[in-house]
Amino acid sequence: MQLRRLDPDPAEVTPLEVLAALRPGERAPAGRPYLLANMVASADGRATLAGKSGGLSSEADREQFHVLREQVDAVLVGTGTLRTERYGAFVRDPERRARREAAGLAPDPLGCIVTRSMMLPDDIPLFEDPASTIAIYTSADTEAPDVAARLEVTRLPAERLTMTAALEHLRADHGARSVLCEGGPTVLGALLAESLVDELFLTLAPRLVGGHGPGVVEGPALPAPAEMERVWTLESEGLLFLRYVTKR
């Protein structure tokens, strides 16, 4: 899977070549994991096509998606995205699992869900996978569903259920030093509002969607714009792959 690196240093590269050296866990700040976000958007800023992100994706984008999963301790996803995209096990390919173990990571990343309602899409394949472990942070009293996956529920008072609190618990309770957020836009907006996004991987598809679908970031306006610095630009089949690091 070849991509063209446009800048810096133009060259032919693969997603594995440019992402395998990320080692986000080595950059974890005190008290929480280092957080990467991965999103795809149309040229007019929509995060979905016909209700799903897959319509904006490509083979190269899916490869980056999976290679990023190889690099982290945990994957954070909103319940709406889980339901819409019908998530299964995070890392199924044996070679990817072997690379995780060689890098000192568990074969399976920990799943993470932050939900006030505890309305979980428990009919999706992820919850039917006995090898998956999912950390759930909620303020609801609802009992967790009886599923094959291992669910570890942490209940917090409503006023304390924040993205910051969830990430702090991931670090303290599970030893997670790196997290990949895969959306949706409301989850990304909540993370940005609490200044928790360290890097953003944004794929821009050469498509105009129109309509009133969600943007990459949804929710209330941020207290202040999140200033970011572009690290690289890659290209494949007209899609642009942008890596941004948040300015602190």
Side-chain angles (χ1 to χ4, degrees):
M1 177 57 61
Q2 293 288 318
L3 300 91
R4 288 193 306 139
R5 184 167 59 211
L6 304 181
D7 65 87
D9 305 320
E12 296 290 319
V13 297
T14 68
L16 187 58
E17 286 172 341
V18 295
L19 296 173
L22 283 178
R23 297 185 178 88
E26 296 180 4
R27 288 174 281 166
R32 71 164 176 87
Y34 193 84
L35 191 133
L36 313 173
N38 184 36
M39 300 291 288
V40 63
S42 65
D44 54 344
R46 301 303 183 196
T48 60
L49 175 61
K52 293 188 175 183
S53 62
L56 300 172
S57 187
S58 70
E59 186 177 354
D61 180 57
R62 288 186 288 274
E63 178 64 11
Q64 174 176 272
F65 173 88
H66 287 295
V67 174
L68 280 170
R69 284 183 171 183
E70 291 183 35
Q71 314 305 312
V72 296
D73 293 307
V75 176
L76 168 64
V77 195
T79 55
T81 298
L82 288 170
R83 182 179 294 106
T84 299
E85 305 292 344
R86 301 290 300 175
Y87 266 55
F90 293 114
V91 180
R92 283 171 281 191
D93 182 83
E95 292 185 8
R96 298 189 192 279
R97 293 169 66 85
R99 284 196 292 266
R100 285 181 57 84
E101 289 189 278
L105 299 172
D108 294 289
L110 177 71
C112 179
I113 300 171
V114 182
T115 170
R116 292 191 180 277
S117 68
M118 199 62 173
M119 297 292 290
L120 301 173
D122 56 1
D123 62 336
I124 64 174
L126 177 63
F127 285 90
E128 298 169 356
D129 177 26
S132 293
T133 301
I134 307 168
I136 300 171
Y137 300 94
T138 186
S139 56
D141 294 328
T142 310
E143 288 299 315
D146 183 13
V147 295
R150 179 182 178 184
L151 306 185
E152 299 194 2
V153 181
T154 300
R155 301 184 192 278
L156 299 170
E159 66 275 10
R160 289 181 50 210
L161 183 63
T162 63
M163 290 297 180
T164 299
L167 292 182
E168 289 174 348
H169 275 278
L170 276 177
R171 178 68 174 272
D173 302 339
H174 299 280
R177 297 185 60 87
S178 55
V179 172
L180 173 64
C181 171
E182 295 180 350
T186 302
V187 172
L188 181 57
L191 291 166
L192 287 167
E194 296 179 40
S195 300
L196 295 171
V197 177
D198 297 297
E199 297 195 28
L200 170 65
F201 291 83
L202 178 63
T203 300
L204 288 179
R207 294 182 177 89
L208 297 172
V209 173
H212 302 284
V216 172
V217 179
E218 292 289 316
L222 300 178
E227 300 291 342
M228 312 198 86
E229 179 179 0
R230 184 169 50 85
V231 177
W232 71 48
T233 306
L234 312 177
E235 184 274 337
S236 173
E237 299 179 324
L239 279 79
L240 295 178
F241 300 83
L242 309 170
R243 177 189 175 191
Y244 293 96
V245 173
T246 301
K247 294 181 179 180
R248 298 296 186 188

